[in-house]
Amino acid sequence: MPWSSVDYPGHQAAVLFVGGCPWRCPYCHNSHLWESQTGLSWAAARAFLESRVGLLDAVVMSGGEPLAQATAVREALIEARLLGFATALHTAGVSPRRFENLLGYVDWVGLDVKGPFSKYDAITARKGSGEAARASMEILLQSGKPHELRTTVHPALLSDTDLLTMVAELVAMGARSVTLKSFRPTGCPDPELSAAYRPWLTPALEKALRAIMPTVVLPGH
């Protein structure tokens, strides 16, 4: 994406989408990037970034899952910084070790939270994903790195109780806020899930969520 004002809040950024992801979340809007594939070369991406020096102020590594190609992403982040760009990373924290190794090369992190840690395996279709996500969350919160935690909400996957449990877990870990976003069908690989979507935020749920985390960010607010 040659320009974005929303992928790194407060910055005008180019977004580079990295192929590959070990998880299979059914609501994923970039499922075409699940399998690593040949796309724009780094040389071409760097040439584009060089043409945007002074016009954009940041580079965001997104995906897919950037941790799936952590070595290449680290080198890209280093070069982006040498060009004078601030750097950001979108990740679900699929590998705590790789995440920790990349954290020093980014200025901001957007961390996807799938739900309560006990539901991760069902949502991602990968055993052990909840433990990995929890460890990455701990690393991020302990680092003090500027970040946004965000969750895609589909009521077929996350009940009201699940959302309340998730927010309570985040508060217990020291999180100050989480942004809850409504599911969007664009790119979703599961047509039945798209058809089953319904609005999920009610006044009662909003009240209950804010009782646990007053700074929770909700759709339409």
Side-chain angles (χ1 to χ4, degrees):
M1 184 182 298
W3 172 79
S4 171
S5 62
V6 298
D7 287 274
Y8 182 177
H11 291 73
Q12 306 298 309
V15 184
L16 303 182
F17 293 93
V18 181
C21 183
W23 293 356
R24 292 294 181 266
C25 305
Y27 54 74
C28 181
H29 66 280
N30 277 341
S31 58
H32 63 288
L33 293 174
W34 281 349
E35 301 298 333
S36 181
Q37 53 189 281
T38 301
L40 191 68
S41 69
W42 170 243
R46 179 189 167 88
F48 169 78
L49 294 178
E50 289 174 340
S51 74
R52 292 301 185 267
V53 172
L55 300 175
L56 301 177
D57 58 7
V59 174
V60 179
M61 305 301 294
S62 190
E65 170 54 66
L67 299 184
Q69 297 193 48
T71 300
V73 167
R74 183 186 68 241
E75 296 305 313
L77 290 169
I78 291 172
E79 293 198 42
R81 282 187 157 186
L82 289 173
L83 290 172
F85 292 106
T87 55
L89 176 71
H90 291 177
T91 181
V94 302
S95 168
R97 179 182 58 81
R98 293 182 179 187
F99 178 56
E100 189 169 29
N101 288 340
L102 280 183
L103 202 54
Y105 301 96
V106 297
D107 301 298
W108 182 87
V109 175
L111 184 65
D112 291 329
V113 183
K114 304 301 182 181
F117 294 115
S118 63
K119 294 207 68 172
Y120 261 74
D121 288 8
I123 293 172
T124 67
R126 292 296 184 269
K127 186 176 181 179
S129 57
E131 288 85 350
R134 182 192 294 273
S136 292
M137 176 77 68
E138 290 173 345
I139 290 168
L140 177 61
L141 295 176
Q142 291 171 9
S143 74
K145 185 77 65 175
H147 64 271
E148 178 186 62
L149 309 180
R150 64 275 185 99
T151 300
T152 296
V153 181
H154 191 306
L157 300 174
L158 294 174
S159 67
D160 289 4
T161 298
D162 291 332
L163 290 173
L164 295 170
T165 298
M166 180 192 78
V167 171
E169 288 178 344
L170 296 179
V171 169
M173 295 179 72
R176 297 182 179 180
S177 183
V178 62
T179 297
L180 304 186
K181 301 181 178 183
S182 294
F183 164 84
R184 293 184 300 171
T186 304
C188 176
D190 186 340
E192 292 185 2
L193 194 67
S194 295
Y197 179 75
R198 59 174 175 77
W200 54 272
L201 184 60
T202 63
L205 178 57
E206 178 177 354
K207 182 178 180 180
L209 287 167
R210 293 200 185 282
I212 300 170
M213 179 186 278
T215 54
V216 63
V217 179
L218 301 170
H221 293 71

